[in-house]
Amino acid sequence: MKQHKDAHEALSVVLSGQRIFVHGAASTPLRLIDGLVSHAGRLRDVEVMHLHTFGDAAYADPACAESFRVANLFVGGNMRRYYDGGRVDYLPCFLSEIPALFRSGERPIDVALIHLSPPDDHGFCTLGCSVDVALEAIRTARTVIAQINPRMPRVHGDGFVHISRIDHYIEVDDPIPEVPRPVLGEVERAIGRHAAALIEDGATLQMGIGAIPDAVLGALHGHRHLGVHTEMWSDGLLDLIEIGAVDNSRKKSHRGKSVSGFIMGSNRVYEYIDDNPSVIQARIDWVNSPHEIAKNPRVTAINSAVEVDLTGQVCADSIGHRIISGVGGQMDFIRGASLSEGGKPIIALPSRARNGASRIVPALRSGGGVVTTRSHVHYIITEYGVANLYGRTLNERAEALIAIAHPDDREMLAREWRAIRAVSG
């Protein structure tokens, strides 16, 4: 283990042709990324691999084309402008299976860049806001380089890393990236009310970050004994914890504790999770295992989509051929919720996109990826209501989805569906 004066010095050990894993979400090691980019002049054909990260991702800039290429496990907002399907590419994989990707040697890691809380009296740091796939990256990487930050929360669970596992490190004192709370409109609030009506007291929740998850959580203030077993959470869930709506008392797995793979939000969230034994961050192949998810009662999984076709196919990672996110854990939780006793897998989306196009469509646009299949889908929610597709024929599904589309799009959708039936019949 060697301490370095700055990130440039620490990253001098990286060699051309290596694969670099970068810790993601609120644990993005921004100083180490800067240090990596500072070596662009001497490096060639280095693959950078990560989930969603913060920062400007300068290694993806065309100016660094000879030095770095990117294998995105999730195309975050900072990567979309660089994505070209070649040098900056996307690797589709269920979030629950990414650790096995590292472990199997299918995608071996040479260097892991990580962001840690300081070591305790026994030498244990933690992965803080993001355990997810980073734990397996550390376990399998040949070299681990860390930035150690007193502002990183010390979080209980699986994310403990002994200082002896670190090969090189720097010390920083930097703010943890924050995510502003979204502004909710009436569309989101209506979706939130519809979703909340399906959620029972004692349910176990999975939902992410953004306007629709926040709207759903905001409509649950009157609920009681809710539990948390989720890929990630943010400020909207903390509101429910603080008012007592979430107490995790009915869960079968880790009763009394909020379980997740990563957390990102405001400093208020980071202060809450710091050294808080009621919050557990766990490895993502366990958190997102449908078998583990299903152990909890009434798992209600709420996920979003780009568009849904009239048979129930859900596109959630692309707009046509243009990748805008990733597979993530949507299918993990859709399946886990459907196997849970009383569980409810839900896809929630506005009836129309910002440009006015219907998001309930006769057929997915060319290139659109099916993240959740029509065999897995159950509930679809828009601001106009709820369509339960489980146990329904294709024609019954189409009728139910047309009924929750924007009123001005229903005639078009019915006409297109009749044409589809005529051809398929």
Side-chain angles (χ1 to χ4, degrees):
M1 179 180 61
K2 182 178 180 180
Q3 182 176 3
H4 296 268
K5 64 180 180 180
D6 58 34
H8 178 81
E9 181 181 281
L11 273 294
S12 63
V13 300
V14 174
L15 304 175
S16 294
Q18 290 188 318
R19 177 174 292 115
I20 313 296
F21 171 82
V22 179
H23 202 175
S27 293
T28 305
L30 295 171
R31 292 284 194 102
L32 296 183
I33 291 172
D34 289 343
L36 178 65
V37 174
S38 74
H39 287 278
R42 70 171 180 84
L43 294 174
R44 293 294 180 269
D45 196 34
V46 170
E47 181 179 277
V48 181
M49 183 169 57
H50 52 68
L51 291 162
H52 165 71
T53 60
F54 284 91
D56 59 9
Y59 51 84
D61 192 282
C64 294
E66 293 185 4
S67 305
F68 305 110
R69 51 193 168 84
V70 186
N72 286 284
L73 298 165
F74 186 96
V75 180
N78 62 344
M79 295 299 300
R80 290 170 193 157
R81 58 180 170 153
Y82 298 124
Y83 178 79
D84 60 12
R87 185 182 69 88
V88 180
D89 210 348
Y90 166 55
L91 194 164
C93 186
F94 292 139
L95 189 54
S96 60
E97 295 184 3
I98 292 174
L101 197 67
F102 302 158
R103 193 164 51 243
S104 67
E106 186 69 32
R107 210 81 180 181
I109 297 169
D110 295 299
V111 180
L113 306 185
I114 61 172
H115 193 171
L116 299 174
S117 64
D120 61 17
D121 291 342
H122 304 287
F124 285 97
C125 308
T126 79
L127 288 164
C129 296
S130 182
V131 172
D132 50 61
V133 304
L135 185 65
E136 196 62 37
I138 292 169
R139 288 174 173 171
T140 59
R142 297 175 182 175
T143 302
V144 178
I145 305 175
Q147 63 177 57
I148 297 177
N149 187 357
R151 302 202 208 184
M152 178 61 72
R154 179 179 185 271
V155 183
H156 294 234
D158 291 341
F160 288 101
V161 179
H162 197 269
I163 194 71
S164 62
R165 180 65 186 94
I166 309 306
D167 298 293
H168 304 270
Y169 75 95
I170 61 172
E171 293 182 341
V172 304
D173 188 0
D174 295 341
I176 305 303
E178 295 184 74
V179 179
R181 295 192 72 162
V183 176
L184 304 184
E186 184 48 41
V187 168
E188 291 82 13
R189 294 185 191 280
I191 293 171
R193 290 191 295 269
H194 291 310
L198 293 176
I199 299 173
E200 302 169 78
D201 287 347
T204 303
L205 303 178
Q206 178 265 325
M207 56 191 65
I209 190 171
I212 289 176
D214 260 25
V216 176
L217 293 167
L220 294 176
H221 285 213
H223 283 59
R224 291 294 176 264
H225 305 303
L226 298 172
V228 178
H229 183 113
T230 184
E231 181 177 306
M232 65 84 58
W233 60 272
S234 190
D235 288 73
L237 186 65
L238 182 54
D239 294 343
L240 293 182
I241 294 172
E242 290 181 335
I243 66 172
V246 167
D247 63 12
N248 292 295
S249 63
R250 303 290 173 86
K251 291 168 58 182
K252 298 290 179 65
S253 177
H254 288 292
R255 184 167 293 177
K257 299 181 186 297
S258 297
V259 174
S260 60
F262 65 100
I263 295 169
M264 56 184 185
S266 68
N267 276 325
R268 170 172 161 256
V269 171
Y270 304 147
E271 290 170 1
Y272 177 80
I273 67 176
D274 183 40
D275 206 21
N276 185 339
S278 73
V279 175
I280 288 180
Q281 292 265 72
R283 69 183 200 277
I284 211 66
D285 46 347
W286 180 85
V287 173
N288 280 40
S289 163
H291 174 72
E292 296 296 334
I293 294 165
K295 289 179 180 178
N296 290 304
R298 300 173 183 167
V299 173
T300 305
I302 299 180
N303 289 274
S304 61
V306 174
E307 58 185 14
V308 178
D309 78 12
L310 289 176
T311 72
Q313 295 187 116
V314 177
C315 175
D317 64 353
S318 67
I319 299 175
H321 291 279
R322 184 164 66 92
I323 304 296
I324 61 167
S325 58
V327 174
Q330 181 172 123
M331 266 301 304
D332 296 330
F333 275 92
I334 290 290
R335 189 60 180 151
S338 69
L339 295 173
S340 164
E341 184 178 352
K344 293 174 181 174
I346 296 170
I347 299 293
L349 72 166
S351 64
R352 280 182 162 180
R354 291 177 182 175
N355 66 2
S358 179
R359 294 174 71 169
I360 305 293
V361 294
L364 301 182
R365 72 184 72 191
S366 175
V370 177
V371 171
T372 295
T373 76
R374 56 192 171 206
S375 299
H376 290 96
V377 75
H378 284 217
Y379 295 93
I380 306 291
I381 297 178
T382 73
E383 69 271 29
Y384 292 103
V386 179
N388 183 2
L389 306 187
Y390 184 67
R392 303 234 183 149
T393 67
L394 295 183
N395 191 60
E396 290 167 345
R397 287 165 174 244
E399 291 175 352
L401 288 167
I402 291 168
I404 64 167
H406 191 283
D408 293 344
D409 296 324
R410 293 173 189 171
E411 183 178 345
M412 174 274 294
L413 290 169
R415 183 173 63 251
E416 292 292 329
W417 179 247
R418 287 194 295 272
I420 290 170
R421 286 175 57 191
V423 172
S424 62

